[in-house]
Each structure stands twice: as C-alpha cells, then as structure tokens.
Amino acid sequence: MPLVLAIETSCDETSVAIVKDKEILSNIVLSQIDIHQKFGGVVPEIAARHHLKNLPIIYKQAVKESQINLSQIDAVAVTIGPGLVGALLVGLSFAKGIAVSLKKPLIGVNHLLGHVCAAQLAFDFLTLPYVALLVSGGHTELLVFENSAIKPRILGRTLDDAAGEAFDKVARLLNIGYPGGPAIEKVSKSGNPHKYNFPRAMIERENLDFSFSGLKTSVLYLLQKEKDPCIADIAASFQESVVDVLVEKAISALQITGLRKLVVSGGVASNTRLREKLNQRSKELNFELYIPPKAFCTDNAAMIAQAAIEMLNEGASFPLNVTADPALSF
Ligand code: KG4
Ligand code: ZN
C-alpha cells in the first residue's frame, strides 16, 4: 500500500497531505481567499509569495499530524499543472527538495486527475468504469475512465468559460464578492430560480461540449435593461441554468457510454443546488452518484496524493526532469 506525501499549490490554496492508499493521515489546507478577496480575484504574484512563506510551516504540521516517520514514504507527489506558473513552481521546487533529501521518487501530478481521484478518497469501494464530470474554476470536462483510473477519454469540455469561471464572472457583474461560486450560492437562497429563463446552451443530447459565455452575457444584458434588478433572483436563475446544463450533460454522458456510475468533482461540485439536483436525478434514473464531501471538492493535497497512488498502482513511469506546465491537460 503506497504511502505518499503530496504538495498542492496550483492556485490560492497551500496544502500538504500524507495519504496511505485512500487513508488520509493528514491533509492541511491553508486558503488565501481573505488575501485575494479585496482584489476581486487571485493575484498570481501574491499567491506565489504566500505559498513560499507558508509551505514550510504547513509541511511540518502535516508530517507531525500524520505521526509517520518520513523515511516510510514511498514517493513525493506534487501538482505540476494546470495552474498559475509561479504558484506551481514554488510547490515543485519545495517537493523536489524533499524528494532529493529523502531519496524518494518525485511524481508530477495533473491537478485535474487529482480532482477526480478525490472520489477514490471519499468512496474507497468505487471501481472502474465511471464517467466523471470535472467542474472547477478553470475547467469543465466530461471524462470516461474505462480501463484506467489515470488515463480518461474526453467526452466533452467547455468551448469557452469554465463553470466556476462563469460563477466568478457573474458574481463580479452582480457585485457580490469573490470567489463567485459560494457568493452566488448564498445570495440565491433568497431568490426565485425561475424568475429569469437564462439560456441553457448546447443542452441538446448529441453534444457533450459546454458553453457558458453566452449565459454570462445574458446576465450582463439583463442588468443593463432592468431598472431595479433583484440580485437574488438573477443569481438564483443563473445558478439554476448552470446546474441544469451540468446535470443534463452528465446524464447524456452516462446514456452515451452506457455506464451507471457518475463521479462529480472540482470546486463547483461543492454547490448545494448542483448536489441536490444530481441526487434527485440519480434516484429518478437509478444511477450511482459519487460526489466527494465539500472539503475534497475544492483544492487540497490529499487528492493529489491519491492520484499519485493510482499512478503508482498502474505502474506509470516518472521522468526525472519533472517540470511545471500551467496549461497541462489530459
Ligand atoms: O477546484 P477549485 O477549488 O480550483 C480550481 O482548480 O479551479 O475550484 C474553484 C472554483 C471557483 O470558480 C469557485 O467560484 C467555484 O469553484 N466554487 C463554487 C462553489 N465553491 C467554489 N461554484 C459554485 N458553488 C459553490 N459553492
Ligand atoms: Zn482545483
């Protein structure tokens, strides 16, 4: 059973975890949200500086909490992309240092695979094959994992904005704060989700790609037109539209592949309305739904460790010249 220490610094969370095949021994996450909030988004330079300052502290805390001896570790894993290049490089340099000093292999992990592997952590009985809907700040992808838990086939992806990006941009238009997802979710609670019928782009069956930029523009036009807009109704109607598209596309992916297991992960998967609707549809259509707890949907190093463990289990090779790739994809 591989024991892996992992580091995640791709965006605005600094995290270190130690995981023994699906068993989390420690997982420390320090969010920088408070720092970036006043700028209305993540400032890459500031994010990198904070990772640099906090990583050694969090690392010590994670090792202490795990109660392991570092020599027991089989490998050091680190997120190599996609993400902010400066932030990724801080994590990568730190991980290289640990790997060299412990004489252990260094495993470069795709952050997107990490998000999907969060489901392995939460549901240790989950087996292949499954469809995965990955919804984060930068990505919206429908994937199918058939014979491998690390190499998916891409069924569809966004042609423009990611779902999380749409939440963040619309929250900015509504002037309700950053990050947009949680802000929209909160404001929506007192709004009418059926007040505005925003577009549900490309919801038709055959196509598994997404598009969210038109929806954002519809919100902008509405705000320009309405004299006294009700922010709660707009937020709730917007959220309902994104949720409808994500849920129906994921169901189409299950129908097209003939599979009955759906994994949903990434920051947007912590959205309560999305979770509710997925649960409801899984009961109606009788498919298995695997959504990790909210803390594992947003960025954390435990999911990166589990992805590295899946890579080790499948005998993946690990090049010595690991580099960061801000635009890494599957
Ligand atoms: O996966 P994640 O933590 O970081 C990336 O890899 O991008 O996702 C961050 C994204 C942000 O766009 C944020 O607004 C969105 O996830 N998000 C949410 C919620 N919580 C975070 N979107 C909708 N509802 C939420 N509750
Ligand atoms: Zn992420």
Side-chain angles (χ1 to χ4, degrees):
M1 253 192 229
L3 179 66
V4 169
L5 180 147
I7 288 166
E8 156 65 41
T9 62
S10 65
C11 192
D12 59 346
E13 264 93 26
T14 316
S15 181
V16 179
I18 296 173
V19 176
K20 189 180 184 177
D21 202 4
K22 297 176 185 172
E23 187 193 342
I24 301 173
L25 305 184
S26 62
N27 182 34
I28 315 282
V29 184
L30 180 72
S31 171
Q32 301 177 7
I33 282 179
D34 294 352
I35 295 157
H36 299 284
Q37 223 149 25
K38 55 179 169 292
F39 303 104
V42 179
V43 183
E45 174 71 19
I46 296 177
R49 283 175 191 274
H50 280 271
H51 288 313
L52 192 61
K53 189 175 92 188
N54 294 321
L55 206 40
I57 303 164
I58 290 184
Y59 167 70
K60 273 194 200 134
Q61 212 178 325
V63 173
K64 192 170 169 208
E65 205 170 281
S66 72
Q67 296 185 327
I68 57 142
N69 185 322
L70 275 176
S71 63
Q72 294 169 262
I73 281 167
D74 293 297
V76 177
V78 62
T79 302
I80 51 167
L84 304 169
V85 68
L88 290 167
L89 284 171
V90 172
L92 179 58
S93 312
F94 193 81
K96 270 188 185 168
I98 299 169
V100 169
S101 69
L102 294 176
K103 299 192 177 60
K104 303 289 179 185
L106 179 67
I107 305 180
V109 176
N110 181 332
H111 181 82
L112 306 179
L113 179 66
H115 273 304
V116 177
C117 290
Q120 304 278 359
L121 277 178
F123 309 99
D124 58 4
F125 48 89
L126 174 62
T127 51
L128 295 168
Y130 46 80
V131 167
L133 171 66
L134 167 63
V135 271
S136 69
H139 293 80
T140 300
E141 311 211 342
L142 267 167
L143 309 160
V144 58
F145 291 81
E146 288 160 315
N147 310 311
S148 160
I150 62 174
K151 288 192 202 99
R153 190 159 58 81
I154 295 163
L155 299 171
R157 53 172 43 144
T158 184
L159 303 177
D160 40 59
D161 293 349
E165 192 178 355
F167 270 97
D168 294 335
K169 286 179 175 170
V170 167
R172 208 169 299 153
L173 289 177
L174 300 178
N175 209 10
I176 54 172
Y178 181 88
I184 288 190
E185 179 170 339
K186 195 167 159 218
V187 171
S188 294
K189 286 201 181 101
S190 54
N192 172 4
H194 306 294
K195 175 75 185 288
Y196 300 104
N197 189 17
F198 287 126
R200 275 120 172 104
M202 304 172 70
I203 204 165
E204 71 276 10
R205 282 278 140 100
E206 320 80 63
N207 192 318
L208 294 178
D209 287 330
F210 301 83
S211 168
F212 292 108
S213 71
L215 174 57
K216 176 192 63 193
T217 312
S218 298
V219 174
L220 175 67
Y221 287 163
L222 180 77
L223 284 170
Q224 287 168 347
K225 201 177 75 189
E226 290 263 317
K227 282 195 193 72
D228 188 18
C230 171
I231 299 300
D233 288 346
I234 299 176
S237 303
F238 161 80
Q239 177 176 263
E240 200 65 12
S241 160
V242 176
V243 166
D244 277 349
V245 173
L246 293 176
V247 172
E248 294 314 312
K249 288 270 173 184
I251 292 170
S252 297
L254 289 172
Q255 286 165 344
I256 288 168
T257 56
L259 298 178
R260 308 216 54 80
K261 291 183 200 171
L262 177 67
V263 167
V264 185
S265 62
V268 180
S270 48
N271 183 275
T272 308
R273 181 66 188 129
L274 177 62
R275 297 169 85 96
E276 254 172 32
K277 203 148 202 176
L278 282 166
N279 265 309
Q280 180 200 327
R281 298 290 277 146
S282 81
K283 285 192 190 103
E284 283 166 13
L285 299 173
N286 198 24
F287 62 85
E288 296 170 34
L289 180 63
Y290 300 92
I291 317 179
K294 293 183 182 185
F296 292 123
C297 287
T298 44
D299 291 349
N300 66 86
M303 68 185 197
I304 303 302
Q306 187 56 36
I309 290 167
E310 301 294 336
M311 291 164 81
L312 282 165
N313 288 343
E314 290 196 21
S317 59
F318 306 112
L320 293 171
N321 60 337
V322 186
T323 51
D325 179 356
L328 188 66
S329 61
F330 274 117

